[in-house]
Amino acid sequence: MTEPLLAIRDVHKAFGANRALAGVTLDLYAGEAHALVGENGAGKSTLMKILSGAHRPDRGSMTLDGDPFVPRNPREARRQGIAMIYQELALAPHLSVEANVMLGQERTARGLVLRREHNQLVRSALRELDHAEIDPQTKVYRLSPGGMQIVEIARALVSNARVVILDEPTSSLSGRDAERLFAVLDRLRGRGLAIVYISHFLEEVERVADRVTVIRDGATVLTGMMESLTTHDIIHAMIGREPEDLFPAIASEPGEVVLETIELAGMILPKRVNLNLRRGEVLGIAGLVGAGRTELLRAIFGLDKVRSGSIKVAGIAASRGLPSDRIAQGIGLLSEDRKNEGLALNLSIEDNLTLTALHRHVRRGILNLKDRRSEASRRLMELNVKAAGPKQAINALSGGNQQKIAFARLLHQDADVLLLDEPTRGIDVGAKAEIYRLIRELARRGKAVLMVSSYLPELLGVCDRLAVMRKGVLGETRPIEAWTEHEIMSQATLESK
Amino acid sequence: MSTDQVDRGGGSSRGSAADFAFARLWSVLGPLIGLGLITGFFAFLTRDSGTFLQLATWRLIVVQTVVLGIAALGMTLVMISGGIDLAVGSTVALVTVVVTLAVRDLHFPVALAIVAGIALGGLCGFINGSLITLLRVMPFIITLGGLKIYRGGAKWLADNGSVYVPAAAKAPWMSHVLAPDPEPSWLVVAPGVWTLVVFGAIVAFLLRYSILGRRMYAVGSNEATARLCGINVSKLKVLVYTIAGLLTGLAGVMQFLDLGGSGDPTTADGLELQVIASVVIGGGSLSGGEGTAAGTLIGCLLISVLNNGCVHAGIPNASQDVIIGAIIIVAVTLDRLRRAREGV
């Protein structure tokens, strides 16, 4: 093999007593797509920050094209050809595509911006990415999430980047946009760029990457060609143990129907949904992003308006309702968007955990803070949350622990019917396993769970029954044994027969 | 099954419980230290006359804090829940005019006129809150409109000049409320100051020990989360603006008394900015979810000390404004630095 374009050798980095990186080694070759996987907290983001110049390594070496590479700040990293595309896109929504691409790399003559050259550069970059349909003058906020990502990649192209690093690029994309993104990445690879692809979705990694590097606890534990490794090998390397117990086999006994929707329709989505949810079961809803699954949960919970149809809770008609009514009826919703909706990030754990059912800690009109704190502490122990204590701010926690707090709020509320929207999005495998166990455990205790997920293995591993939603229409509900991944995908994507 | 492998690297080491407790302590301690430094500074500047640290000076300073402080308590609630109220100064002016006219033209007893004044403040707040939630327009814009409308209303009612309560209608206690030397003397400070202290305690209690208070923080911190947790956000906002309006009404009444029982449509011009400054110095945030009653009151006291200290030290008015401006910037910058260190 030729010399690597970017070579990272035994890089160490500590923040105080906390060793974030303890020996990461990674070789990146021109023209390859290299997946970087690891649990949250394994050190991926620290490594990215070092590559982008936000942090400097304590020990170890990095070379770019054979020359020592130690960027002192993000500008320098970018100038040397490293382009970072973060999960949360760094675009100015009210500026045009062209202005966003050229931001910070304007071509000027005598202090004036060369508009025509900008336009040509942006057009040719978009053409090269096979997205010539994007008009450079469109305001970025009008684009789909997938289009926005293309703008970021176009920016990297115009800056003559040699290494493009993408952090969880599909987290906000629909299936089709994701496919187009993968095609774009193939093109970049063809042009001799090196791609670092960070993702939690191993299926995606298999689709995109030639090689994979797994890091755990800040060190490289596995590097290899994608085709010579199995999913099992990769998961095993990520979590350092056998993945068999990811989906616990906890049986539950289905009881009476607690939630029923009859021809329920939202303002746009969903369309005329009929479903029955029983105590002691987990009912899964699969489908593509944008199929209306989230809207269904929100309509049931009273967060979105209902156009027509009705809802019965425990056999009693309860069609119109605000979230507060639903909560009183024993329904709880776990939001798909933990950061923007699920949690108030700068409030404490105890504030977040108890917000729905604060009244439980009120004695004679006065909030009993001690009582609230001790209950919050108990919940933290129950869910094995890694936190300093109930007074800690939420934003100091990792994604998995944050999600456990959002879950703990439903438990604190004592919900009988749990509407879970992407309950394991953006959390690591260890925390996922705990959440699966918790969901099964809740079903065993007679709770009813309605779960939306885009991750088919977890739907198949956790649910008792499953239905597929496509363009707002919910298909037939069948026992989980009757489904395969292939069957689900074909129902989700194909026109109904 | 264990999660020992999880979260070792990035997340959980920042912000231990001890740090967090310290951060909360600091939110009140910080402004208090600032207050101490500024007091020390003026005591040093005026060390020759030695008047600044005398009881009489401080009795005056606290009296001068009453209007600002009561209005700022209301603003604290508004800002914690993520809003802002620019109409405070105009509402105060309107209340002074209406209370005066209620006594002069409608022959209300003073006490009843005062109740009406407080209610008027509540009504102004209710209108602000209702418009913000019904029209879904930013609070900044709605209350900017309110700022002009209430001020204009005051000018119109008072026919562009000051209005006075006739001497015969005045109650003897009116001049005592904000008298720096109170009667009886065991009160130590003016009854108006005690009013401020009592309302400060009520607001502090409300924020910490009531569901309503916790919900205000939640709405200010993240409205979507609040909605998800079953909070009727619109209702809560209207309620918050109304409570804040009642406090602003009370501040207006204090201003009416401070003006010797008269109404002035041009009074309290720009008060809202001083009020916002006090809340921010006291740890409140323009983006909501933060602030305490104690912090706000310390912020108010700090501004009063500055105003009074500058007079004692013979610093001209123009310089006072510059100093207050600089302190706001320093206070908020220090706060941001602290947050950055905590990784918030």
Side-chain angles (χ1 to χ4, degrees), chain A residues 58-71:
Chain A
D58 298 335
R59 201 140 65 73
S61 73
M62 300 198 293
T63 58
L64 184 64
D65 247 354
D67 299 323
F69 171 68
V70 189

Side-chain angles (χ1 to χ4, degrees), chain B residues 134-251:
Chain B
L134 287 178
L135 304 180
R136 294 169 196 265
V137 175
M138 278 164 34
F140 187 97
I141 301 297
I142 295 288
T143 58
L144 184 62
L147 177 151
K148 299 303 284 181
I149 292 169
Y150 302 143
R151 179 73 66 182
K155 286 178 180 167
W156 178 69
L157 284 174
D159 206 8
N160 277 314
S162 288
V163 288
Y164 301 92
V165 169
K170 280 188 186 169
W173 51 264
M174 282 171 58
S175 56
H176 294 314
V177 175
L178 291 174
D181 300 310
E183 271 180 59
S185 62
W186 53 259
L187 278 174
V188 185
V189 291
V193 176
W194 288 115
T195 312
L196 171 62
V197 170
V198 167
F199 277 94
I202 292 173
V203 169
F205 186 86
L206 174 84
L207 284 174
R208 196 162 158 73
Y209 293 101
S210 77
I211 290 190
L212 180 63
R214 305 316 304 183
R215 288 183 166 183
M216 288 183 199
Y217 284 104
V219 167
S221 180
N222 190 339
E223 255 187 72
T225 309
R227 216 164 271 132
L228 185 71
C229 292
I231 297 171
N232 187 331
V233 173
S234 301
K235 230 180 188 170
L236 182 122
K237 281 185 180 174
V238 173
L239 184 60
V240 167
Y241 277 93
T242 307
I243 296 172
L246 290 169
L247 286 163
T248 309
L250 182 61

Side-chain angles (χ1 to χ4, degrees), chain A residues 110-129:
Chain A
R110 279 179 245 106
L112 296 177
V113 169
L114 298 170
R115 296 290 305 260
R116 188 176 298 173
E117 191 179 334
H118 277 193
N119 196 283
Q120 276 165 2
L121 276 169
V122 173
R123 271 187 199 287
S124 75
L126 289 172
R127 216 169 23 243
E128 220 164 315
L129 298 175

Side-chain angles (χ1 to χ4, degrees), chain A residues 11-15 49-50 53-59 62 70-73 76:
Chain A
V11 162
H12 286 67
K13 176 74 188 175
F15 299 101
K49 282 179 180 161
I50 286 176
H55 291 318
R56 307 190 70 179
D58 298 335
R59 201 140 65 73
M62 300 198 293
V70 189
R72 276 171 304 187
N73 53 50
E76 208 173 286

